[in-house]
Amino acid sequence: MTSTWKDIVGRYVEIDGTPTFYDEIGEGGRPIICVHTAGANALEYRYLLPLLADAGFHAVAPDLPGRARSYAWRGEVTTTIHRHAEFIHLFKQQLFGDTKVIVTGTSIGGDITLDLAVSFPESFSAAIAFEGAARTPTFPDPGEYMQPSWNPGWQDTMERISGAALNAKCPPHKQEELRWMHRNAQVSAVGDLQGWATHDIRDQLSNARLPVLVAAGAEDFWLPEELVDETVAGLPDGEKLIIDGIGHYPMFEDPERIRSIIVDFVERKGL
């Protein structure tokens, strides 16, 4: 029987004292953790998770701390990619123990995926980073945007730029759905984008002792191809993929194609 989003189960787990929400489907399969974009939540994966389950994966997608249904870690807004990665590693340990898992993520989730690969290579069997790189200096540090006298429209910026970053043929109903996912993300989005703007792990890429795929949409203006090339060049076992007709949200824009990319990479690597 084909799985649908109705088969996804939402759960809570306590991570370092933090009530953390995650979506789950496909128990008993190969474990894979899916990490969402800036200022958003696990809802971005509602199309992809059932497809991964049908492909034999035990797929989980957490809401990052302070986003949507998860509480802030230690009561603080996360402002670095590495701190997000540390939390996802704790989440992985809580759910899967010493079992190696696959990790994938998009945008800041892609950056987090790469940070996990270099910081905790012993915990993961493969890393698949979409729209992320070793460094992503393509958005100014947004801390100043929190000053209302400077930029009073910041509160709805995330929901507006999310739609602009979709591929040109993405249907209107998905544009509106993505806007809703980013609504009410004012504080967390600032932290996430601070992390995106200051992220730089180029000097750690050689630590990634696992297969890593770095993939980017051809229509994603947030991630220039040269940053993908730079990242792959520094990885011991890195691959590059540019996906035609895709913008900044591949798992949301074309989940069937992204499922195929993940399955192909995992199977080619014998995982």
Side-chain angles (χ1 to χ4, degrees), residues 159 163 166 171-183 252:
E159 66 176 88
L166 290 167
H173 73 87
K174 276 202 168 182
Q175 295 180 29
E176 182 61 20
E177 184 175 356
L178 193 67
R179 287 188 66 168
W180 274 105
M181 290 179 193
H182 287 81
R183 207 156 284 181
F252 181 76

Side-chain angles (χ1 to χ4, degrees), residues 81-100:
I81 295 299
H82 184 63
R83 193 165 189 267
H84 272 315
E86 288 179 315
F87 191 86
I88 291 297
H89 185 249
L90 291 174
F91 174 82
K92 177 266 172 192
Q93 293 294 102
Q94 181 75 19
L95 265 63
F96 300 110
D98 292 333
T99 299
K100 288 191 175 184

Side-chain angles (χ1 to χ4, degrees), residues 31-185:
I32 182 170
I33 297 174
C34 305
V35 188
H36 64 74
T37 72
N41 55 71
L43 286 172
E44 288 182 327
Y45 284 95
R46 80 176 185 96
Y47 297 102
L48 180 59
L49 292 184
L51 298 175
L52 290 175
D54 288 347
F57 291 95
H58 176 189
V60 298
D63 290 345
L64 289 170
R67 282 78 183 151
R69 297 153 290 186
S70 291
Y71 285 74
W73 187 19
R74 300 175 184 170
E76 301 174 1
V77 176
T78 300
T79 59
T80 68
I81 295 299
H82 184 63
R83 193 165 189 267
H84 272 315
E86 288 179 315
F87 191 86
I88 291 297
H89 185 249
L90 291 174
F91 174 82
K92 177 266 172 192
Q93 293 294 102
Q94 181 75 19
L95 265 63
F96 300 110
D98 292 333
T99 299
K100 288 191 175 184
V101 309
I102 300 159
V103 61
T104 185
T106 301
S107 186
I108 68 156
D111 283 3
I112 293 166
T113 295
L114 290 165
D115 196 300
L116 288 165
V118 303
S119 299
F120 309 101
E122 70 286 347
S123 292
F124 299 94
S125 56
I128 304 167
F130 293 96
E131 319 311 324
R135 64 184 182 104
T136 45
T138 59
F139 196 93
D141 188 323
E144 65 183 49
Y145 293 167
M146 292 301 288
Q147 303 296 326
S149 62
W150 297 346
N151 191 355
W154 165 251
Q155 285 76 0
D156 66 354
T157 296
M158 278 304 300
E159 66 176 88
R160 292 181 183 278
I161 65 175
S162 65
L166 290 167
N167 74 77
K169 295 182 179 179
C170 199
H173 73 87
K174 276 202 168 182
Q175 295 180 29
E176 182 61 20
E177 184 175 356
L178 193 67
R179 287 188 66 168
W180 274 105
M181 290 179 193
H182 287 81
R183 207 156 284 181
N184 298 319

